[in-house]
Amino acid sequence: MALLTVEDLKMYYPVRGGVFRRTRAVCKAVDGVGFSLEPGETLGLVGESGCGKSTVAKSVVRLLKPTSGRIVFEGNDITRSGPAELRGFRREMQMVFQDPAESLNPRHTIGQILEEPFVIQKIGTRGERSEWAAELLRRVGLPVDALGRYPFEFSGGQRQRIGIARALALKPRLIVCDEPVSALDVSVQAQVLNLLLELQQQDRLAYLFIAHDLSVVQHMSDRVAVMYLGKIVEIATATELYRNPRHAYTKALLESIPQVDLSRKRERKLLKGDVPSPINPPAGCAFGHRMRHPKWQESVAMDLRLQEVSPGHWVQPCPCCTT
Amino acid sequence: MNEPLLEIRDLRVGFQTDHGLLVAVDDVDLTLERGKMLGLVGESGCGKSVTARAIMRLLEQPSGQVLGGEVRLEGRDLLPLPLEAMRKVRGKEIAMIFQEPMTALNPVHRVGRQIVENLLLHEDLTPAAALKRAVELMEWVGIPAPDQRIHDYPHQLSGGMRQRVMIAMALSCNPKILIADEPTTALDVTVQAQILDLIKRLQNETGMAVILITHDLAVVAETCDELAVMYAGRLVERGPVESIFQSPLHPYTKGLMDCLPKLDHPPKTMLPIIPGMVPSLRDMPRGCRFAARCPNAHDDSVLSERQPWRECSGGHGVEACACFASTL
């Protein structure tokens, strides 16, 4: 059974304006996203800023209440669960955020930060909690004397390790990583990525791994989903997606990543324009619309739900972008 | 005409802090030839941005100070210039763009006015002619409908468009050198590719030289002619891009290249890492600063002695630390 199943997830925000704060428009941040995640698996979610990947992350751990759709975790529908029920589920699902400086309370010591999950869940005695906190630090490769210190005393990479330790505290089965390395330097990034891979092997953790850097996502994931303007346009295993991308947007993303390999210096087809706003998005295939593709009109009347083109490789079947 | 466009010799920059004087840039030598693009690479705190600011004499005041060295633009040392003369160099001869265009642009003025301001300051133009020139500049950097966008405020533009406005401003007086300090770090990859392409195109059209500061080696590999790698305030390796990527000499450069995730590698494999972290500016070793993280380090003697610079073939040079100098 899948650990997590997301079906037709939609998250709409009203855009209000005028004297009476009437709803002027709807921002479709996430518009019909579905995927599943097996225990021990990593699903990467990639796309440009504003494509809705962080909104998906926050909906999955139910920091947001989705407009519609279903989120099923370990067989339980948590789409409409209240705070008390969610507290139970959050032992099993945790989150690591992008900016460790902002997600750690600057007035708490590392010890307090790491013991807080146990306090909230009412687990253990005071002595046990501080023992566990020390053990967590050891697992993420930090010295135990860090317990009495404050977040500002640590570098970005160390703070991200603390964020990961906190996420591990309750022995979750799923960790949602929202841009966990994009604020880090490359040498530190490699250290943190290796740590995440090690922890996954030890505990059979499942990750929903979000980043805008496709080479990082590709490196970390079993399967990768590419998002564009609130929708998944393609989903496949990491290797398949790299070798055989089918959607024009995936190809454009792959082509725009700078490569160190000088022997493969290639002429790039540059993507023009910016990501359109998710407020009143175009009908049909949004990427075809951006590219002003001659066949975009045809996609408006079509059913654009993902279709399986080869085993495990799903792509949006629009006439303009899919080959 | 054989002298380089910009020559930096033994540049030392320090900051006066509560912990005393911290030297952020220590004896850096760089050369920029006409029409070339030089990539200056390193991780946060390595001194790459401080070097750029020292060239422009825009160090944070009063704490930042140049402790020694020379910055020669076509033979003329910029460091002792009076402020008034330096102001004529900035924007006119050397222009700079920054990482976050939103903070570099004035939020309460329309973008057109900001471009015009620069033109009026450096060029002998009437306001009407300057406005016309601003529209042309915006068109040149690929901003659609420039006669309308010129009336926009910075917040009405996307990140990529703001960076284009910054580039239009920087290039408005045909500078000889453009210093781009992490110009694409805040942008999406697709927009990053557009901006890098734009800088490259403008460079070809104007023949200006560019110093591109970035932490991303891959960006340098795709755009630059020359590469300089900095670590903890010092230059560790410098040379033509092809030469460095084909045979990096310094273990730090090697480490930086290896630890990048590559698209064509099998997923979920461990990356080669550089262990540990950059030493603190407060207790920087006199000698090799990379020794504590270096896979080649075999004894501590390299920590106390300044390691010599060695020029290898084809303009490729490296700080030849004793730990690996024998293999060069």
Side-chain angles (χ1 to χ4, degrees), chain A residues 40-42 47-50 53 155 158 184-191 193-195 197-198 200-201 212-216 218-222 238-239 242 249 252-262 264-266 268 270-275 290, chain B residues 42-45 48 158-161 185-198 215-224 241-243 245-246 252 256-257 259-277 293:
Chain A
E41 190 193 29
T42 304
E48 291 169 281
S49 36
K53 45 191 200 305
S155 69
Q158 291 172 321
L184 305 178
D185 270 317
V186 279
S187 73
V188 182
Q189 163 179 300
Q191 294 175 358
L193 293 180
N194 279 1
L195 173 67
L197 287 174
E198 267 169 36
Q200 178 169 48
Q201 283 165 8
H212 63 275
D213 185 337
L214 188 48
S215 44
V216 171
Q218 210 266 350
H219 180 80
M220 292 299 288
S221 308
D222 297 291
T239 335
Y242 168 67
Y249 182 62
L253 269 188
L254 282 167
E255 276 173 14
S256 47
I257 299 173
Q259 290 291 302
V260 168
D261 191 354
L262 292 166
R264 294 193 308 129
K265 215 169 197 175
R266 65 250 121 99
R268 295 190 294 198
L270 281 186
L271 205 48
K272 292 206 180 65
D274 292 301
V275 189
R290 173 174 174 184
Chain B
E43 298 180 275
S44 0
K48 53 192 194 301
S158 68
M161 284 301 148
T185 307
L187 304 174
D188 276 312
V189 273
T190 54
V191 184
Q192 161 170 295
Q194 293 171 10
I195 296 291
L196 292 173
D197 228 56
L198 173 70
H215 63 272
D216 191 341
L217 270 176
V219 165
V220 172
E222 292 217 330
T223 52
C224 294
V241 163
E242 289 81 20
S243 172
F245 278 95
Q246 265 153 29
Y252 177 63
L256 265 189
M257 287 182 192
C259 73
L260 289 172
K262 315 272 186 316
L263 276 173
D264 50 356
H265 284 192
K268 300 187 89 165
T269 44
M270 291 290 164
L271 290 165
I273 59 162
I274 306 174
M277 339 184 257
R293 307 174 73 185

Side-chain angles (χ1 to χ4, degrees), chain B residues 220-242:
Chain B
V220 172
E222 292 217 330
T223 52
C224 294
D225 308 298
E226 297 271 323
L227 166 60
V229 182
M230 287 186 74
Y231 183 75
R234 286 212 189 125
L235 199 62
V236 294
E237 186 161 2
R238 163 179 58 67
V241 163
E242 289 81 20

Side-chain angles (χ1 to χ4, degrees), chain A:
Chain A
M1 185 184 65
L3 179 66
L4 172 77
T5 313
V6 174
E7 290 166 14
D8 202 26
L9 181 73
K10 290 184 180 165
M11 187 73 219
Y12 292 176
Y13 295 95
V15 179
R16 294 177 198 278
V19 183
F20 299 106
R21 315 295 298 154
R22 262 195 291 250
T23 303
R24 288 281 176 82
V26 179
C27 172
K28 298 183 175 178
V30 174
D31 196 13
V33 160
F35 56 83
S36 68
L37 189 59
E38 301 294 324
E41 190 193 29
T42 304
L43 176 69
L45 205 51
V46 70
E48 291 169 281
S49 36
C51 72
K53 45 191 200 305
S54 288
T55 309
V56 169
K58 287 180 189 153
S59 306
V60 163
V61 293
R62 279 298 321 279
L63 290 174
L64 293 173
K65 197 170 188 178
T67 311
S68 70
R70 252 159 62 89
I71 300 165
V72 180
F73 183 70
E74 295 181 317
N76 306 292
D77 187 337
I78 60 166
T79 325
R80 303 278 148 210
S81 300
E85 211 180 325
L86 282 175
R87 195 170 302 141
F89 288 118
R90 291 215 174 106
R91 284 196 191 193
E92 310 277 315
M93 49 157 74
Q94 287 286 318
M95 192 154 173
V96 173
F97 298 91
Q98 169 172 0
D99 191 341
E102 280 175 32
S103 56
L104 302 175
N105 188 331
R107 292 169 189 278
H108 283 186
T109 62
I110 306 308
Q112 285 171 308
I113 288 168
L114 294 181
E115 287 169 36
E116 195 168 17
F118 304 116
V119 175
I120 291 171
Q121 298 285 350
K122 303 192 176 71
I123 313 174
T125 62
R126 192 168 292 180
E128 281 170 333
R129 284 173 196 159
S130 75
E131 238 171 73
W132 291 334
E135 168 65 16
L136 286 168
L137 279 180
R138 196 190 54 73
R139 285 199 68 189
V140 297
L142 289 175
V144 176
D145 64 12
L147 283 176
R149 287 152 68 188
Y150 289 87
F152 76 88
E153 298 178 63
F154 296 89
S155 69
Q158 291 172 321
R159 280 198 286 248
Q160 197 54 289
R161 286 171 191 267
I162 294 164
I164 293 168
R166 177 177 60 183
L168 288 174
L170 298 166
K171 301 195 169 65
R173 298 184 66 198
L174 167 68
I175 296 185
V176 175
C177 305
D178 189 2
E179 303 264 10
V181 294
S182 38
L184 305 178
D185 270 317
V186 279
S187 73
V188 182
Q189 163 179 300
Q191 294 175 358
V192 171
L193 293 180
N194 279 1
L195 173 67
L196 286 169
L197 287 174
E198 267 169 36
L199 295 169
Q200 178 169 48
Q201 283 165 8
Q202 289 164 9
D203 291 3
R204 227 164 90 81
L205 285 165
Y207 290 138
L208 180 60
F209 189 93
I210 296 170
H212 63 275
D213 185 337
L214 188 48
S215 44
V216 171
V217 170
Q218 210 266 350
H219 180 80
M220 292 299 288
S221 308
D222 297 291
R223 287 185 302 141
V224 175
V226 180
M227 271 188 85
Y228 185 73
L229 210 64
K231 291 191 169 83
I232 292 180
V233 295
E234 185 162 10
I235 185 164
T237 63
T239 335
E240 166 77 4
L241 192 83
Y242 168 67
R243 288 204 189 128
N244 195 12
R246 301 293 288 270
H247 196 275
Y249 182 62
T250 313
K251 288 179 194 164
L253 269 188
L254 282 167
E255 276 173 14
S256 47
I257 299 173
Q259 290 291 302
V260 168
D261 191 354
L262 292 166
S263 60
R264 294 193 308 129
K265 215 169 197 175
R266 65 250 121 99
E267 274 303 300
R268 295 190 294 198
K269 274 211 313 272
L270 281 186
L271 205 48
K272 292 206 180 65
D274 292 301
V275 189
S277 157
I279 299 170
N280 298 331
C285 170
F287 190 66
H289 183 263
R290 173 174 174 184
M291 302 307 284
R292 298 207 174 84
H293 196 282
K295 285 188 179 168
W296 165 74
Q297 247 337 313
E298 291 174 32
S299 75
V300 175
M302 282 181 65
D303 178 4
L304 291 179
R305 269 178 294 185
L306 297 183
Q307 282 181 3
E308 196 165 20
V309 287
S310 63
H313 191 156
W314 297 71
V315 65
Q316 181 177 289
C318 53
C320 41
C321 301
T322 309
T323 46

